[in-house]
Amino acid sequence: MAEDAILGYLEKNEGILDSGCFAVEFGIDHDEIINVTKSLNGYGLVIAQAKEIFKLGEKGNCGENHTLFQGSPEVQLYSVIPAEGISPDELQKRVDPTIFKVGFAQAMKNKWVERVKQLISRKVQHVDDKVKECLVHIQAGEVVGREEIDALKRRKLILSQTWKGYSIRKGPNYVPKRKKAATDLTREHLQSGAWKKLELKEYNFNAKGLPPEGGHLHPLLKVRQQLKNIFLQMGFEEMPTNNFVESSFWNFDALFQPQQHPARDSHDTFFLQAPSTTNWLPEDYVERVKCVHESGGYGSRGYGYDWKREEANKNLLRTHTTAVSSRMLYKLAQKPFTPKKYFSIDRVFRNEAVDRTHLAEFHQIEGLICDRGLTLGDLIGVLYDFFSRLGMTKLRFKPAYNPYTEPSMEIFSYHEGFGKWVEIGNSGMFRPEMLLPMGLPDDVCVVAWGLSLERPTMILYGIDNIRDLFGHKVDLGLMKKNPICRLGLQ
Ligand code: PHE
């Protein structure tokens, strides 16, 4: 509407339009005219113009209404002076005090009246009320001479204001009626042949995308997704980790971790008060686990201690996701054997003193491969494959100890940024004392590794205090500002 009116007007009026006059003439809101013209994109050009406009002053020394309707003070005063003259006292009674004061001074200045002794009389036969005339013009928005304006301003009868108006001209792309540029090529355009004449809107490559208003992902979630993708690309299946509460049996005993092991101490493990014990375990398997702990078997001597069922029954918050791996391997052993590649990324809990690198809960990433005849070489090979996908290509391995793996290796990676070797994970081959009681075939081996999710996330996001990443002290700004994704841990 406004657009057609503007373009049409430009066609008829020598290509120039004054936005203010136009708004009045066509009854269109001034701001709308400006907005429309700005979007005309070269069809019309907007040239900003600052204009001085005037408003009648409310507190002029004799009041706007007085002057506008009853005439200027000088004219009001002049008209009450009789032909024979009048005494100042008498004159004062005929007009109000401001009219007398201002009007008399002004009439004297104009040489309209004179004062001879005690008598004020008219000096001219006739006067014109130029002041009132000017105010009427100004009120109507008409042009008035500069001199008059200045005089009125001095007398505070008018106030000046700046008004931002625009003069609108024909632009280089001017047409009297703009065709709306299409933003999409549709099926209808193609069918009707309209596409041949279609004017397509140009892409604006400088337009900024809208900042995402929705939720923001925590860095841990983003890195978890990256890791998940890596595992999936490598053909791993995700293990169900949706139970934080686990029995000591699956968390420790099934993993050939002796019941006196310091990690099972309540200083390191959170035990549950209610429900304090598990209500189901596979009895025949429990029996085999008890035997292997007490007296060994499968070529092992065992630990030679009195294994207690009550210890195994105790519920706890799982201290590692290897508890899930033990359940999954047991499950796998109950069916005819098929090789598997499993992974999990989820939360674990440890009763640890909290400091800048430790929290009482964190996330573990775990991967395992279960197949016949696997060797340590296979483990090293898969670790190179996995970590190189995270940008870590220089690895070193150090012999280590876990109750459930033999051999065991700590994994180190050379961090270019830190200029040193940093420990990034733990790994090993699950012991026969763990796998054979489950019922897996003799020649089946399992290579596995684990690492924390927090460590790589902190390296990727440059966070040096774990409490800034996870927990109640985390600054939510971190979530909103951090990059959508980061590549490479080096
Ligand atoms: N469970 C080990 C830990 O908590 C990690 C690990 C997993 C080690 C698998 C070897 C094999 O650190």
Side-chain angles (χ1 to χ4, degrees):
M1 236 293 287
E3 176 178 317
D4 291 347
I6 292 168
L7 292 176
Y9 188 95
L10 289 178
E11 178 70 1
K12 280 180 239 131
N13 297 278
E14 282 132 33
I16 303 182
L17 172 157
D18 178 294
S19 62
C21 302
F22 185 78
V24 176
E25 194 174 324
F26 289 84
I28 303 175
D29 182 59
H30 189 251
D31 288 342
E32 192 189 337
I33 297 173
I34 300 313
N35 287 339
V36 168
T37 316
K38 280 181 179 159
S39 73
L40 278 179
N41 229 341
Y43 289 87
L45 286 184
V46 189
I47 296 149
Q49 260 180 350
K51 253 202 301 196
E52 193 182 19
I53 55 155
F54 303 100
K55 221 177 86 177
L56 300 195
E58 269 176 45
K59 289 202 179 96
N61 50 7
C62 53
E64 165 192 343
N65 289 339
H66 261 104
T67 309
L68 202 57
F69 299 112
Q70 297 173 20
S72 62
E74 51 271 35
V75 170
Q76 286 187 52
L77 184 108
Y78 178 87
S79 51
V80 294
I81 300 175
E84 65 279 11
I86 189 169
S87 74
D89 289 347
E90 197 52 38
L91 183 56
Q92 257 191 64
K93 279 184 211 149
R94 293 195 181 185
V95 288
D96 77 48
T98 32
I99 298 291
F100 179 77
K101 195 170 151 241
V102 179
F104 184 67
Q106 203 60 44
M108 286 294 280
K109 204 170 143 203
N110 292 355
K111 299 199 168 65
W112 288 354
V113 297
E114 61 183 352
R115 189 175 171 158
V116 183
K117 292 191 186 136
Q118 278 311 304
L119 209 62
I120 296 169
S121 50
R122 292 183 176 180
K123 206 175 161 184
V124 290
Q125 287 304 308
H126 172 77
V127 294
D128 286 330
D129 198 347
K130 286 262 165 54
V131 168
K132 178 177 167 175
E133 236 170 76
C134 282
L135 290 180
V136 169
H137 286 309
I138 287 169
Q139 175 93 325
E142 290 158 13
V143 186
V144 173
R146 193 72 238 178
E147 250 179 64
E148 283 85 356
I149 292 278
D150 288 344
L152 293 174
K153 262 167 63 177
R154 255 183 286 149
R155 289 179 66 179
K156 297 203 174 79
L157 286 167
I158 57 170
L159 302 172
S160 96
Q161 283 179 334
T162 28
W163 183 79
K164 260 193 145 187
Y166 297 87
S167 108
I168 299 163
R169 281 154 219 266
K170 284 185 180 173
N173 306 329
Y174 177 80
V175 280
K177 194 164 167 66
R178 177 159 76 141
K179 261 200 269 164
K180 210 141 187 72
T183 49
D184 252 332
L185 189 61
T186 64
R187 184 167 170 265
E188 286 70 31
H189 290 142
L190 295 176
Q191 276 180 335
S192 67
W195 62 272
K196 286 182 207 155
K197 287 195 199 130
L198 207 60
E199 196 184 312
L200 282 164
K201 191 166 181 184
E202 277 183 45
Y203 280 114
N204 178 1
F205 293 108
N206 296 321
K208 289 208 172 76
L210 289 173
E213 278 296 327
H216 298 267
L217 290 177
H218 189 282
L220 284 173
L221 294 176
K222 295 187 219 182
V223 178
R224 186 178 73 169
Q225 189 58 47
Q226 265 179 283
L227 283 152
K228 211 168 171 170
N229 291 344
I230 290 174
F231 274 119
L232 294 173
Q233 281 156 13
M234 290 173 72
F236 282 64
E237 275 172 61
E238 190 166 11
M239 295 185 271
T241 50
N242 53 344
N243 60 306
F244 291 167
V245 174
E246 188 52 276
S247 63
S248 295
F249 180 77
W250 292 111
N251 195 82
F252 294 128
D253 297 282
L255 290 164
F256 198 52
Q257 188 145 324
Q259 295 188 329
Q260 319 76 35
H261 192 281
R264 296 181 67 147
D265 199 305
S266 64
H267 294 298
D268 283 352
T269 302
F270 292 110
F271 287 97
L272 254 74
Q273 273 176 357
S276 61
T277 54
T278 182
N279 52 15
W280 188 83
L281 292 174
E283 292 306 329
D284 54 335
Y285 175 50
V286 171
E287 200 48 43
R288 293 195 295 273
V289 169
K290 173 182 156 79
C291 285
V292 80
H293 277 244
E294 289 185 338
S295 52
Y298 323 100
S300 168
R301 282 193 289 160
Y303 293 118
Y305 72 98
D306 204 5
W307 187 86
K308 291 203 177 61
R309 175 65 184 259
E310 305 80 71
E311 261 323 301
N313 283 346
K314 283 186 186 168
N315 275 336
L316 44 75
L317 293 180
R318 69 174 173 229
T319 63
H320 54 182
T321 46
T322 317
V324 180
S325 303
S326 69
R327 278 177 178 272
M328 290 300 283
L329 288 170
Y330 171 74
K331 222 171 145 189
L332 194 64
Q334 306 318 300
K335 284 182 268 167
F337 180 72
T338 42
K340 284 286 177 194
K341 295 201 270 188
Y342 283 141
F343 80 96
S344 66
I345 308 172
D346 211 338
R347 206 175 285 196
V348 299
F349 307 84
R350 291 188 191 171
N351 197 355
E352 268 181 312
V354 171
D355 63 26
R356 59 191 301 115
T357 51
H358 293 90
L359 288 177
E361 53 186 306
F362 63 100
H363 297 79
Q364 271 192 339
I365 305 161
E366 181 147 331
L368 69 86
I369 304 176
C370 176
D371 202 354
R372 295 181 195 274
L374 292 175
T375 66
L376 191 66
D378 293 306
L379 174 60
I380 292 174
V382 74
L383 291 177
Y384 270 109
D385 187 3
F386 175 78
F387 285 103
S388 68
R389 290 166 192 257
L390 283 170
M392 295 187 243
T393 46
K394 281 189 203 157
L395 299 183
R396 267 186 188 171
F397 306 99
K398 185 176 144 187
Y401 171 77
N402 296 308
Y404 39 90
T405 54
E406 182 59 34
S408 309
M409 305 188 302
E410 277 171 2
I411 312 158
F412 289 77
S413 157
Y414 187 75
H415 191 284
E416 302 288 349
F418 299 163
K420 61 175 185 190
W421 290 92
V422 289
E423 196 199 323
I424 48 167
N426 185 4
S427 67
M429 299 184 70
F430 285 140
R431 297 182 76 101
E433 288 96 326
M434 169 183 164
L435 301 181
L436 295 175
M438 289 176 171
L440 284 166
D442 284 5
D443 57 345
V444 166
C445 295
V446 178
V447 297
W449 71 101
L451 60 148
S452 90
L453 176 63
E454 280 73 3
R455 189 73 181 266
T457 306
M458 285 168 74
I459 297 175
L460 282 168
Y461 286 87
I463 298 167
D464 65 355
N465 187 338
I466 197 163
R467 288 167 288 194
D468 293 336
L469 177 69
F470 194 49
H472 65 286
K473 287 190 180 157
V474 169
D475 169 17
L476 284 180
L478 173 81
M479 253 52 68
K480 293 188 180 155
K481 281 186 252 124
N482 67 48
I484 288 173
C485 107
R486 291 198 161 251
L487 298 169
L489 281 167
Q490 300 294 323

